[in-house]
């Protein structure tokens, strides 16, 4: 995942620039990820390449080597247009490597961040080029799986898709325990769910990339990882300023159902058949939603499902939702309400006896796509008796409760309802008691999310509950939510309000304290990106824990306390992060990801709260020890938040350690060079000065001769002295000249040395200031975090 792969620096290659991989000399590092490090490679002919080496920790894994070799072979099959072509590779080397075309240009991520979003012809050109690259990739039987703005290079001759390091062949794309690979914000729903993947995940990622290119933000933005995941799984994309016809194409690519997304070839054909900007009605664009007519040209109403415009809440007078809309004799929409019958407006709503629950016959389509603990609903309990609350250590296979009731058309239905109460259809079953409906929704979570994610369906459900049944207990905000709300939380709240007697379950997973302890027993999925990580992020929210605590279980109070502790720890973590970035100069641009799932792991398992692994990096070890002092000195639950900051800051600490090594190394090199030049220049100056003195002394010879001629024999002593000085000066000048030229070169070389000294001297102040800043940050960090 986005937010996790780049954090893995352990097991790095350790290869110093200047070494080789095949025929390529590794000039400098271009970046490091979870699987390998990329270097700028130079071939003997002077050409350049991006050389990726597998991390040493992965290189020792035979299975990873096999996958790497397979990926290289698959990548070779991809046509070289619109991608970074494969130049050479050696999967069998001691350190497996692959060399790809070096693209000299910024990434789309950097270009949008620096120059702003794209629009018009420029955006359309980007869309066509990247779709062409996907068509080539998929034609070779490869799924990229991590298409994102950072993996699109804007070369002088057009955009190129890069980084096939995590690509997989289509025929082997089932997700296993090795984990989900990708970047949150650009991952498809099925990728987050850990389902079998197809090339449709790249189409979803492409749509998300286009939204970023056109708006400068993600299609499913959110303040936390959990909120972003929740929006991808159950909310409509925010297309922002993206205009038709491209908006309609992108919307179709961001469909939750991979089967309804276009393939890469269809996508490319759609893009090249529409104008770059305007010129065609939005409704004509593939995937565009009409704002004025329904599927048959009629005005849309609350019954419209996929593709409907958001409708107002059932409690908004302008919504005009018919509270008892009827279903025709054609096949029943699973979430339609039954035919309208006269309703006594003065009838007071009372809950029906538990014995009227609908059957959960698997043949009726109630089996959910995930496992959940058995739910003892009201159908199996004595009338008026709530079922016992159970908290299994791990969720057993799902089993639907058997509910007695009349059978119609081979399907078990609810028993006869009170006169005048229309039934509500959910997942092919008719319900007259909302409590039974809530139990069914808990058991069929995915179908329930679809209801709450569709504004029309949500409004229709609210109309049935409030207008038809006269409910006065449910929170009305559940039915006023818009497309960007969290449908999973809405389902959880709906169930907890109507059936607090049921065990707490979220998305098919038990949510008692014991069951949460099992889910959060191992934090490794949060770092490897395994499918469980997404579930952990969705469950680790104070709001959800409060909803789960509303169930009348033995540990409901403990769940509520856990929610308060998580809230407190998260606030402490955010404050700690704000203090670090505000008071430490080197941290001001740091992107520290504080994981609430990791906080909850530490709250449930304090024994897991140990310092992060430094990977053998002494610089990281020093920073980690400083931050961990803050953890040691704080009590629960605050220390759990501080610990999460320390773990989230590992990439920052690694970058700071690398920066410190670079600055100190450079400062040491420049200082050494400066001292050496200064000593040499000083000696040079002394010898040149001696040469000048000797040259001046030579004048003693003519001065002595002139003195002797003018003064006669009376000045013999002076004449002798002048002649001796002149001779010595001559000899000294000859020797000094020879020495200076041999040791320091001619005048041009000596002047150049002066320039070198001045240049080195000018480098020292900023380098010294940088080193002082780093040392100052360390001192201030020690003050912030304690001794």
């Amino acid at each position: 995942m986005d937010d996790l792969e780049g954090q893995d620096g352990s097991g790095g290659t350790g290869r110093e620039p200047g070494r080789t991989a095949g025929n390529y000399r590794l000039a400098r590092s271009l970046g490091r990820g979870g699987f390998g490090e990329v270097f700028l490679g130079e071939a003997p002919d002077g050409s350049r390449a991006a050389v990726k080496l597998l991390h040493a920790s992965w290189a020792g894994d035979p299975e990873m080597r096999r996958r790497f070799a397979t990926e290289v072979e698959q990548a070779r099959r991809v046509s070289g247009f619109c991608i970074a072509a494969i130049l050479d590779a050696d999967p069998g080397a001691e350190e497996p490597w692959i060399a790809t075309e070096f693209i000299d240009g910024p990434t789309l991520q950097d270009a949008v961040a620096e120059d702003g979003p794209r629009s018009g012809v420029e955006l359309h050109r980007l869309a066509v080029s990247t779709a062409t690259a996907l068509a080539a990739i998929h034609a070779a039987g490869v799924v990229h799986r991590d298409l994102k703005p950072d993996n699109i290079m804007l070369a002088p001759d057009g955009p190129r898709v890069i980084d096939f390091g995590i690509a997989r062949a289509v025929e082997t794309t089932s997700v296993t325990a090795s984990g989900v690979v990708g970047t949150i914000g650009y991952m498809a729903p099925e990728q987050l769910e850990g389902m079998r993947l197809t090339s449709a995940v790249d189409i979803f990622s492409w749509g998300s990339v286009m939204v970023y290119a056109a708006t400068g933000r993600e299609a499913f933005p959110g303040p936390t990882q959990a909120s972003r995941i929740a929006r991808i799984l159950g909310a409509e994309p925010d297309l922002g300023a993206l205009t038709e016809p491209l908006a309609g194409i992108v919307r179709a690519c961001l469909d939750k159902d991979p089967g309804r997304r276009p393939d890469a070839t269809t996508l490319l054909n759609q893009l090249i058949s529409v104008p770059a900007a305007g010129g065609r009605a939005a409704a004509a664009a593939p995937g565009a939603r009409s704002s004025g007519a329904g599927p048959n040209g009629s005005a849309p109403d609350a019954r419209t499902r996929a593709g409907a415009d958001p409708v107002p809440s059932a409690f908004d007078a302008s919504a005009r939702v018919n509270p008892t809309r009827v279903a025709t004799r054609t096949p029943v929409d699973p979430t339609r309400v039954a035919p309208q019958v006269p309703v006594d407006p003065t009838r007071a709503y009372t809950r029906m006896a538990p014995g009227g629950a609908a059957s959960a016959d698997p043949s009726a389509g109630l089996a959910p796509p995930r496992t959940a603990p058995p739910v003892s609903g009201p159908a199996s309990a004595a009338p008026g008796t709530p079922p016992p609350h159970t908290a299994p250590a791990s969720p057993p296979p799902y089993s639907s409760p058997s509910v007695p009731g009349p059978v119609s058309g081979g399907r078990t239905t609810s028993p006869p309802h009170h006169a005048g109460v229309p039934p509500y259809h959910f997942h092919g079953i008719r319900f007259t008691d909302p409590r039974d409906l809530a139990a069914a929704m808990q058991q069929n979570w995915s179908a329930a999310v679809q209801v709450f994610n569709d504004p029309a369906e949500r409004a229709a459900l609210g109309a049935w509950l409030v207008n038809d049944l006269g409910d006065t207990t449910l929170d009305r905000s559940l039915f006023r939510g818009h497309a960007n709300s969290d449908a999973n939380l809405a389902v959880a709240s709906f169930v907890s309000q109507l059936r607090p007697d049921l065990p707490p379950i979220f998305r098919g997973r038990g949510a008692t304290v014991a069951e949460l302890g099992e889910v959060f027993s191992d934090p490794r999925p949060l770092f490897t990106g395994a499918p469980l990580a997404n579930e952990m992020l969705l469950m680790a929210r104070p709001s959800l824990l409060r909803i789960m605590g509303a169930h009348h279980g033995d540990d409901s109070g403990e769940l509520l306390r856990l929610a308060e502790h998580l809230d407190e720890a998260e606030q402490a973590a955010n404050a700690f992060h704000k203090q670090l970035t505000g008071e430490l100069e080197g941290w001001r641009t740091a992107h520290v990801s504080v994981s609430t799932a990791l906080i909850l792991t530490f709250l449930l398992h304090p024994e897991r709260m140990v310092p992060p692994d430094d990977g053998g990096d002494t610089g990281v070890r020093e920073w980690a020890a400083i931050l961990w002092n803050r953890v040691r000195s704080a009590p629960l639950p605050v220390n759990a938040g501080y610990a999460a900051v320390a773990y989230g800051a590992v990439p920052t600490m690694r970058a700071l350690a690398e920066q410190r090594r670079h600055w100190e190394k450079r400062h040491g090199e420049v200082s050494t060079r400066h001292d050496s030049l200064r000593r040499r220049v000083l000696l040079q100056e002394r010898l040149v000065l001696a040469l000048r003195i000797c040259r001046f002394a030579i004048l003693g010879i003519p001065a002595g001769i002139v003195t002797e001629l003018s003064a006669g024999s009376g000045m013999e002593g002076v004449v002798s002295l002048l002649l001796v000085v002149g001779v010595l000066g001559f000899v000294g000048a000859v020797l000094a000249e020879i020495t200076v030229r041999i040791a320091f070169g001619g005048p041009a070389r000596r002047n150049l040395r002066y320039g070198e000294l001045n240049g080195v001297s000018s480098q020292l102040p900023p380098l010294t200031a940088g080193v002082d800043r780093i040392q100052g940050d360390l001192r201030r960090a020690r003050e912030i975090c304690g001794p």
Side-chain angles (χ1 to χ4, degrees), residues 481-531:
H482 49 80
N484 294 335
S485 61
D486 190 335
N488 282 286
L489 279 182
V491 174
S493 181
F494 181 82
V495 173
S496 69
Q497 291 183 56
L498 285 173
R499 293 301 305 273
D501 56 305
L502 293 178
I505 293 176
F506 179 73
R507 288 170 55 84
R509 291 185 180 274
T512 63
V513 173
E515 289 163 330
L516 288 174
E518 288 291 328
V519 174
F520 290 87
S521 61
D522 187 354
R524 282 179 295 180
L526 297 171
F527 305 113
T528 63

Side-chain angles (χ1 to χ4, degrees), residues 15 21-22 52-55 58-73 76 88-99:
R15 184 179 290 242
K52 182 170 185 177
L53 276 70
L54 201 64
H55 280 325
W58 290 116
D61 184 347
E63 177 62 18
M64 180 55 70
R65 277 182 168 269
R66 184 191 66 78
R67 291 185 181 182
F68 187 80
T70 301
E71 290 162 9
V72 170
E73 182 60 29
R76 288 183 187 274
D88 197 2
D90 187 0
E94 181 180 353
E95 289 180 300
W97 59 272
I98 180 172

Side-chain angles (χ1 to χ4, degrees), residues 302-373:
R303 291 174 292 180
T304 307
R305 287 189 63 84
D309 289 330
V311 297
S313 164
F315 308 102
D316 186 347
S318 63
R320 302 184 184 279
V321 178
N322 184 346
T324 55
R325 182 172 298 108
V326 298
T328 64
R329 292 185 178 274
T330 55
V332 178
D333 186 328
T335 57
R336 291 282 66 73
V337 295
Q340 180 177 357
V341 293
V343 179
D344 182 0
T346 62
R347 170 179 52 82
Y349 170 66
T350 57
R351 298 188 184 276
M352 297 188 65
S359 170
D361 183 1
S363 65
L366 280 175
R370 59 183 72 248
T371 61

Side-chain angles (χ1 to χ4, degrees), residues 480-618:
R480 297 191 181 104
H482 49 80
N484 294 335
S485 61
D486 190 335
N488 282 286
L489 279 182
V491 174
S493 181
F494 181 82
V495 173
S496 69
Q497 291 183 56
L498 285 173
R499 293 301 305 273
D501 56 305
L502 293 178
I505 293 176
F506 179 73
R507 288 170 55 84
R509 291 185 180 274
T512 63
V513 173
E515 289 163 330
L516 288 174
E518 288 291 328
V519 174
F520 290 87
S521 61
D522 187 354
R524 282 179 295 180
L526 297 171
F527 305 113
T528 63
L532 182 59
N534 302 317
E535 296 297 323
M536 295 169 72
L537 288 168
L538 288 174
M539 298 181 79
R541 291 182 283 176
S543 56
L544 176 65
L545 294 179
R546 292 187 181 97
I547 292 173
M548 296 295 101
H551 288 268
H552 299 164
D554 295 336
D555 59 355
S556 60
E558 193 172 349
L559 277 170
L560 294 176
R561 284 192 297 273
L562 186 60
E564 295 303 321
H565 287 171
L566 180 59
D567 203 357
E568 183 180 353
E570 186 177 8
Q571 292 179 20
N574 291 332
F576 185 29
H577 173 232
K578 184 177 180 180
Q579 186 177 19
L580 291 173
T581 56
E583 299 187 27
L584 304 182
E585 188 174 347
W587 287 67
R588 288 178 183 172
T589 58
H591 299 285
V592 177
S593 177
V594 179
S595 172
T596 54
L598 189 58
I599 294 176
L600 186 55
T601 299
F602 292 149
L603 290 176
L604 291 167
H605 299 282
E607 70 280 2
R608 295 277 187 184
M609 209 183 308
V610 295
D613 183 17
D614 54 47
D617 189 322
T618 55

